Short mmCIF file of all heavy atoms in Angstrom, two decimals:
data_model
loop_
_atom_site.label_atom_id
_atom_site.label_comp_id
_atom_site.label_asym_id
_atom_site.label_seq_id
_atom_site.Cartn_x
_atom_site.Cartn_y
_atom_site.Cartn_z
N ALA A 13 5.91 -15.53 -20.17
CA ALA A 13 5.00 -14.88 -19.20
C ALA A 13 3.72 -15.65 -19.07
O ALA A 13 3.20 -16.22 -20.08
CB ALA A 13 4.73 -13.44 -19.58
N GLN A 14 3.19 -15.72 -17.88
CA GLN A 14 1.96 -16.49 -17.64
C GLN A 14 0.78 -15.57 -17.90
O GLN A 14 0.60 -14.51 -17.29
CB GLN A 14 1.92 -16.95 -16.17
CG GLN A 14 0.78 -17.97 -15.89
CD GLN A 14 0.90 -19.24 -16.59
OE1 GLN A 14 2.03 -19.78 -16.85
NE2 GLN A 14 -0.24 -19.85 -16.95
N PRO A 15 -0.10 -15.95 -18.85
CA PRO A 15 -1.29 -15.11 -19.11
C PRO A 15 -2.25 -15.20 -17.93
O PRO A 15 -2.21 -16.11 -17.13
CB PRO A 15 -1.89 -15.72 -20.37
CG PRO A 15 -1.40 -17.12 -20.43
CD PRO A 15 -0.04 -17.10 -19.79
N ALA A 16 -3.11 -14.19 -17.83
CA ALA A 16 -4.12 -14.16 -16.73
C ALA A 16 -5.04 -15.35 -16.92
O ALA A 16 -5.56 -15.62 -17.99
CB ALA A 16 -4.90 -12.90 -16.80
N GLU A 17 -5.31 -16.11 -15.82
CA GLU A 17 -6.20 -17.26 -15.89
C GLU A 17 -7.62 -16.82 -16.16
O GLU A 17 -8.35 -17.48 -16.95
CB GLU A 17 -6.11 -18.04 -14.59
CG GLU A 17 -6.87 -19.32 -14.61
CD GLU A 17 -6.66 -20.17 -13.39
OE1 GLU A 17 -5.96 -19.72 -12.44
OE2 GLU A 17 -7.16 -21.32 -13.32
N TYR A 18 -8.00 -15.69 -15.58
CA TYR A 18 -9.36 -15.17 -15.76
C TYR A 18 -9.29 -13.71 -16.17
O TYR A 18 -9.28 -12.79 -15.35
CB TYR A 18 -10.18 -15.31 -14.47
CG TYR A 18 -10.25 -16.72 -13.94
CD1 TYR A 18 -9.48 -17.15 -12.87
CD2 TYR A 18 -11.10 -17.63 -14.57
CE1 TYR A 18 -9.57 -18.45 -12.39
CE2 TYR A 18 -11.17 -18.95 -14.10
CZ TYR A 18 -10.39 -19.36 -13.02
OH TYR A 18 -10.50 -20.64 -12.57
N PRO A 19 -9.19 -13.43 -17.49
CA PRO A 19 -9.00 -12.07 -18.00
C PRO A 19 -10.00 -11.07 -17.51
O PRO A 19 -9.65 -9.94 -17.13
CB PRO A 19 -9.05 -12.25 -19.53
CG PRO A 19 -8.64 -13.66 -19.76
CD PRO A 19 -9.19 -14.42 -18.62
N GLU A 20 -11.27 -11.47 -17.52
CA GLU A 20 -12.34 -10.54 -17.10
C GLU A 20 -12.15 -10.11 -15.62
O GLU A 20 -12.35 -8.95 -15.25
CB GLU A 20 -13.74 -11.11 -17.27
CG GLU A 20 -14.14 -11.28 -18.72
CD GLU A 20 -13.65 -12.54 -19.35
OE1 GLU A 20 -12.92 -13.32 -18.68
OE2 GLU A 20 -13.91 -12.79 -20.58
N GLN A 21 -11.73 -11.05 -14.77
CA GLN A 21 -11.49 -10.72 -13.38
C GLN A 21 -10.29 -9.76 -13.23
O GLN A 21 -10.30 -8.87 -12.39
CB GLN A 21 -11.23 -12.00 -12.57
CG GLN A 21 -12.48 -12.85 -12.41
CD GLN A 21 -12.24 -14.04 -11.49
OE1 GLN A 21 -11.30 -14.10 -10.74
NE2 GLN A 21 -13.16 -15.05 -11.58
N GLU A 22 -9.29 -10.01 -14.02
CA GLU A 22 -8.10 -9.13 -14.02
C GLU A 22 -8.49 -7.70 -14.40
O GLU A 22 -8.04 -6.73 -13.81
CB GLU A 22 -7.03 -9.67 -14.99
CG GLU A 22 -5.69 -8.94 -14.92
CD GLU A 22 -4.82 -9.39 -13.78
OE1 GLU A 22 -5.03 -10.50 -13.24
OE2 GLU A 22 -3.94 -8.62 -13.41
N ILE A 23 -9.34 -7.60 -15.39
CA ILE A 23 -9.80 -6.26 -15.86
C ILE A 23 -10.64 -5.58 -14.78
O ILE A 23 -10.43 -4.40 -14.46
CB ILE A 23 -10.57 -6.42 -17.19
CG1 ILE A 23 -9.65 -6.91 -18.32
CG2 ILE A 23 -11.24 -5.09 -17.56
CD1 ILE A 23 -10.44 -7.47 -19.50
N ARG A 24 -11.54 -6.33 -14.23
CA ARG A 24 -12.45 -5.79 -13.20
C ARG A 24 -11.66 -5.36 -11.95
O ARG A 24 -11.93 -4.26 -11.40
CB ARG A 24 -13.50 -6.83 -12.82
CG ARG A 24 -14.55 -6.30 -11.82
CD ARG A 24 -15.70 -7.34 -11.61
NE ARG A 24 -16.50 -7.50 -12.82
CZ ARG A 24 -16.40 -8.56 -13.62
NH1 ARG A 24 -15.59 -9.54 -13.34
NH2 ARG A 24 -17.16 -8.65 -14.72
N TYR A 25 -10.71 -6.15 -11.56
CA TYR A 25 -9.90 -5.77 -10.41
C TYR A 25 -9.15 -4.49 -10.64
O TYR A 25 -9.08 -3.62 -9.74
CB TYR A 25 -8.90 -6.94 -10.05
CG TYR A 25 -8.10 -6.59 -8.80
CD1 TYR A 25 -8.58 -7.00 -7.55
CD2 TYR A 25 -6.87 -5.97 -8.84
CE1 TYR A 25 -7.90 -6.75 -6.37
CE2 TYR A 25 -6.18 -5.68 -7.73
CZ TYR A 25 -6.66 -6.09 -6.49
OH TYR A 25 -5.95 -5.80 -5.34
N ALA A 26 -8.56 -4.32 -11.80
CA ALA A 26 -7.80 -3.09 -12.11
C ALA A 26 -8.70 -1.90 -12.10
O ALA A 26 -8.37 -0.82 -11.51
CB ALA A 26 -7.12 -3.21 -13.44
N ILE A 27 -9.92 -1.99 -12.67
CA ILE A 27 -10.87 -0.88 -12.69
C ILE A 27 -11.28 -0.49 -11.26
O ILE A 27 -11.43 0.67 -10.95
CB ILE A 27 -12.09 -1.23 -13.54
CG1 ILE A 27 -11.68 -1.38 -15.04
CG2 ILE A 27 -13.16 -0.22 -13.41
CD1 ILE A 27 -12.80 -1.89 -15.94
N GLU A 28 -11.48 -1.50 -10.44
CA GLU A 28 -11.97 -1.26 -9.08
C GLU A 28 -10.85 -0.91 -8.12
O GLU A 28 -11.17 -0.49 -6.97
CB GLU A 28 -12.73 -2.48 -8.60
CG GLU A 28 -14.02 -2.71 -9.37
CD GLU A 28 -14.80 -3.96 -8.97
OE1 GLU A 28 -14.23 -4.75 -8.15
OE2 GLU A 28 -15.88 -4.14 -9.43
N HIS A 29 -9.62 -1.05 -8.51
CA HIS A 29 -8.44 -0.65 -7.69
C HIS A 29 -7.49 0.23 -8.49
O HIS A 29 -6.39 -0.16 -8.86
CB HIS A 29 -7.74 -1.90 -7.18
CG HIS A 29 -8.56 -2.79 -6.31
ND1 HIS A 29 -9.48 -3.71 -6.84
CD2 HIS A 29 -8.62 -2.91 -4.97
CE1 HIS A 29 -10.07 -4.33 -5.83
NE2 HIS A 29 -9.61 -3.87 -4.69
N PRO A 30 -7.95 1.45 -8.85
CA PRO A 30 -7.18 2.31 -9.75
C PRO A 30 -5.87 2.78 -9.11
O PRO A 30 -5.76 2.88 -7.87
CB PRO A 30 -8.15 3.46 -10.02
CG PRO A 30 -9.00 3.51 -8.81
CD PRO A 30 -9.20 2.07 -8.40
N THR A 31 -4.93 3.06 -9.95
CA THR A 31 -3.65 3.62 -9.54
C THR A 31 -3.68 5.12 -9.71
O THR A 31 -3.79 5.66 -10.82
CB THR A 31 -2.47 3.07 -10.40
OG1 THR A 31 -2.44 1.64 -10.27
CG2 THR A 31 -1.15 3.70 -9.98
N GLY A 32 -3.62 5.84 -8.62
CA GLY A 32 -3.66 7.30 -8.69
C GLY A 32 -5.03 7.83 -9.09
O GLY A 32 -5.74 7.22 -9.87
N GLY A 33 -5.42 8.96 -8.60
CA GLY A 33 -6.63 9.57 -9.02
C GLY A 33 -7.87 8.87 -8.48
O GLY A 33 -7.83 7.98 -7.65
N ARG A 34 -9.00 9.24 -9.00
CA ARG A 34 -10.31 8.78 -8.53
C ARG A 34 -10.76 7.50 -9.19
O ARG A 34 -10.35 7.21 -10.32
CB ARG A 34 -11.36 9.86 -8.77
CG ARG A 34 -11.10 11.21 -8.06
CD ARG A 34 -12.18 12.22 -8.44
NE ARG A 34 -12.12 12.54 -9.85
CZ ARG A 34 -13.10 13.17 -10.49
NH1 ARG A 34 -14.24 13.51 -9.86
NH2 ARG A 34 -12.99 13.41 -11.80
N GLY A 35 -11.60 6.79 -8.51
CA GLY A 35 -12.24 5.60 -9.09
C GLY A 35 -13.46 6.06 -9.94
O GLY A 35 -13.91 7.20 -9.82
N LEU A 36 -13.96 5.13 -10.77
CA LEU A 36 -15.12 5.51 -11.63
C LEU A 36 -16.32 5.91 -10.81
O LEU A 36 -17.13 6.77 -11.26
CB LEU A 36 -15.45 4.33 -12.54
CG LEU A 36 -14.43 4.05 -13.68
CD1 LEU A 36 -14.88 2.85 -14.49
CD2 LEU A 36 -14.33 5.29 -14.58
N GLU A 37 -16.51 5.32 -9.66
CA GLU A 37 -17.69 5.64 -8.81
C GLU A 37 -17.61 7.13 -8.36
O GLU A 37 -18.67 7.73 -8.02
CB GLU A 37 -17.76 4.75 -7.61
CG GLU A 37 -16.61 4.81 -6.62
CD GLU A 37 -15.44 3.95 -7.01
OE1 GLU A 37 -15.44 3.39 -8.14
OE2 GLU A 37 -14.48 3.86 -6.20
N ASP A 38 -16.41 7.72 -8.39
CA ASP A 38 -16.25 9.12 -7.99
C ASP A 38 -16.28 10.04 -9.18
O ASP A 38 -16.27 11.30 -9.02
CB ASP A 38 -14.97 9.32 -7.17
CG ASP A 38 -14.93 8.53 -5.92
OD1 ASP A 38 -15.94 8.50 -5.18
OD2 ASP A 38 -13.87 7.90 -5.62
N ILE A 39 -16.21 9.50 -10.40
CA ILE A 39 -16.14 10.27 -11.58
C ILE A 39 -17.54 10.35 -12.30
O ILE A 39 -17.91 11.41 -12.80
CB ILE A 39 -15.12 9.65 -12.55
CG1 ILE A 39 -13.71 9.75 -11.97
CG2 ILE A 39 -15.17 10.31 -13.94
CD1 ILE A 39 -12.71 8.96 -12.77
N ILE A 40 -18.28 9.27 -12.29
CA ILE A 40 -19.48 9.11 -13.08
C ILE A 40 -20.65 9.65 -12.35
O ILE A 40 -20.88 9.40 -11.15
CB ILE A 40 -19.68 7.64 -13.46
CG1 ILE A 40 -18.48 7.06 -14.18
CG2 ILE A 40 -20.96 7.50 -14.29
CD1 ILE A 40 -18.11 7.81 -15.45
N SER A 41 -21.54 10.39 -13.07
CA SER A 41 -22.86 10.76 -12.60
C SER A 41 -23.86 10.54 -13.72
O SER A 41 -23.47 10.54 -14.89
CB SER A 41 -22.89 12.20 -12.11
OG SER A 41 -22.60 13.11 -13.17
N PRO A 42 -25.15 10.36 -13.40
CA PRO A 42 -26.12 9.93 -14.44
C PRO A 42 -26.29 10.91 -15.61
O PRO A 42 -26.68 10.53 -16.68
CB PRO A 42 -27.44 9.80 -13.64
CG PRO A 42 -26.99 9.54 -12.25
CD PRO A 42 -25.74 10.30 -12.05
N ASP A 43 -26.04 12.19 -15.42
CA ASP A 43 -26.33 13.17 -16.44
C ASP A 43 -25.16 13.42 -17.37
O ASP A 43 -25.24 14.22 -18.29
CB ASP A 43 -26.73 14.52 -15.78
CG ASP A 43 -25.68 15.07 -14.83
OD1 ASP A 43 -24.85 14.28 -14.32
OD2 ASP A 43 -25.71 16.30 -14.59
N GLN A 44 -24.04 12.72 -17.14
CA GLN A 44 -22.84 12.98 -17.93
C GLN A 44 -22.81 12.17 -19.25
O GLN A 44 -23.20 11.01 -19.29
CB GLN A 44 -21.57 12.65 -17.12
CG GLN A 44 -21.28 13.58 -15.95
CD GLN A 44 -20.19 13.06 -15.13
OE1 GLN A 44 -20.07 11.87 -14.85
NE2 GLN A 44 -19.33 13.95 -14.65
N LYS A 45 -22.30 12.79 -20.27
CA LYS A 45 -22.00 12.10 -21.51
C LYS A 45 -20.57 11.55 -21.40
O LYS A 45 -19.66 12.20 -20.94
CB LYS A 45 -22.09 13.07 -22.71
CG LYS A 45 -23.49 13.54 -22.99
CD LYS A 45 -23.50 14.44 -24.22
CE LYS A 45 -24.92 14.95 -24.51
NZ LYS A 45 -24.95 15.87 -25.72
#
């Protein structure tokens, strides 16, 4: 298998293009723990 050329980009892309459900921008608010 070919490893990701840029691991951080792979991680960021997955976080910003979630599968099912809400993205972090819709989950997080400043007052939350």
Side-chain angles (χ1 to χ4, degrees):
Q14 189 67 33
E17 186 174 4
Y18 302 104
E20 291 84 359
Q21 290 184 18
E22 187 79 22
I23 296 162
R24 186 173 292 105
Y25 183 87
I27 293 173
E28 294 177 352
H29 298 81
T31 300
R34 299 177 296 164
L36 288 178
E37 63 277 6
D38 299 316
I39 295 171
I40 303 301
S41 63
D43 58 336
Q44 292 172 319
K45 294 181 179 179

